[in-house]
Amino acid sequence: MARRPVTIVTGGSRGIGAATCVRLAAAGHDLVLGYAKDDAAAEATAARVREAGARCVTVRGDTSQECGVERLFDIAGAELGTVTGLVNNAGVTGPLGRLADATTDDLRRVVEVNLLGYLLCCRRAARDMSEAGGGYGGVIVNVSSAAATLGSPGEYVHYAATKAAVDTLTVGLAKELGPDGIRVNAVAPGIVETDMHAAMGDPDRPARAAAGIPLGRPGQPEEIAGAIAWLLSPEASYTTGTVLRVAGGR
Ligand code: NAP
């Protein structure tokens, strides 16, 4: 029997991450679902994943902390076997507003979760997946944002800057890890209907933004999950180092 892919999705409990877990379960992956605080949301998504026939382990922890990331991968390996996929998705924005009004704590948190957290997860994935190191190779998908190229003035330039860094990380790491049998790509969503907008202080933001989106509406988490699942699939076997924009034309 062919080995099933074992894929870690950070921030897999809600929003884009949850849709990705459910989509990957249907595509034959076993899942490790990482999350920060909301146990009920994690268990609800894990139940949907198991209904789709996949094994699923939930791991609570902070991806901006080295110990949280090491524990996430250690549990993944112990419970489900050698990790072959990583979806780096856990992200935060802090409150909407101008840089001049942002607190240092908010700036630090956004950089630590969105950039340091992605780096820590990529580093451990590189170690675990490397064929030279005894792994099976694998695929990393970094969830970036259209903000990386739009800049997001007046909203969160600091968040946009971390996502631009994620794009650069993707390009460089793809070149570094190609010889190890590891593909690295990013998906850059536009405005997607998730709880993230309420968390940044503006739950109606997706509906209001619709007029400025060429396709005339915000995206749904499932539409981002489809792109992530494709990049993880054998269909994308020659695709590495790319940033796939899924933003309704924005
Ligand atoms: P969301 O609905 O707010 O969900 C965030 C997820 O990340 C939750 O599972 C949360 O867990 C987890 N999380 C947050 N901080 C964490 C940490 N430090 N350690 C571990 N897990 C953490 O977010 P989303 O809208 O789906 O966004 C997912 C990704 O897409 C992010 O990288 C975001 O920047 C990107 N994105 C989103 C949009 C959009 O419009 N929604 C657009 C472009 C890009 P808990 O619930 O337990 O806290």
Side-chain angles (χ1 to χ4, degrees), residues 96-109:
L96 284 165
R98 296 165 65 87
L99 181 63
D101 300 322
T103 69
T104 305
D105 281 350
D106 282 335
L107 298 180
R108 195 185 303 283
R109 187 70 190 146

Side-chain angles (χ1 to χ4, degrees), residues 10-18 33-39 41-42 59-65 88-93 109 112-114 118 143-147 156 159 162-163 187-197 199-200 205-206 219 221 224:
T10 68
S13 56
R14 297 190 287 111
I16 291 168
L33 186 164
Y35 68 104
K37 296 189 288 273
D38 188 340
D39 299 321
V59 183
R60 180 173 174 158
D62 184 349
T63 52
S64 73
Q65 301 290 323
N88 242 335
N89 167 76
V92 293
T93 65
R109 187 70 190 146
E112 288 189 348
V113 176
N114 296 5
Y118 276 39
V143 180
S144 176
S145 171
Y156 38 46
Y159 166 85
T162 63
K163 294 301 189 177
V187 170
I191 293 183
V192 182
E193 285 195 53
T194 72
D195 299 339
M196 182 173 247
H197 307 282
M200 62 180 90
R205 185 168 174 263
I224 311 305

Side-chain angles (χ1 to χ4, degrees), residues 111-242:
V111 171
E112 288 189 348
V113 176
N114 296 5
L115 183 52
L116 180 61
Y118 276 39
L119 287 165
L120 292 171
C121 288
C122 280
R123 182 179 70 178
R124 177 64 190 263
R127 290 172 177 166
D128 285 8
M129 292 176 184
S130 165
E131 288 171 352
Y136 301 129
V139 189
I140 297 171
V141 178
N142 293 320
V143 180
S144 176
S145 171
T149 56
L150 297 171
S152 306
E155 294 198 311
Y156 38 46
V157 293
H158 53 296
Y159 166 85
T162 63
K163 294 301 189 177
V166 166
D167 291 356
T168 304
L169 164 68
T170 300
V171 169
L173 200 58
K175 292 175 180 169
E176 192 168 300
L177 297 182
D180 293 322
I182 303 169
R183 294 188 293 107
V184 186
N185 292 291
V187 170
I191 293 183
V192 182
E193 285 195 53
T194 72
D195 299 339
M196 182 173 247
H197 307 282
M200 62 180 90
D202 189 0
D204 299 331
R205 185 168 174 263
R208 252 198 347 272
I213 300 170
L215 290 186
R217 62 174 178 83
Q220 294 301 315
E222 292 73 18
E223 294 176 293
I224 311 305
I228 295 170
W230 178 74
L231 286 167
L232 281 159
S233 78
E235 295 285 309
S237 54
Y238 201 56
T239 304
T240 196
T242 197

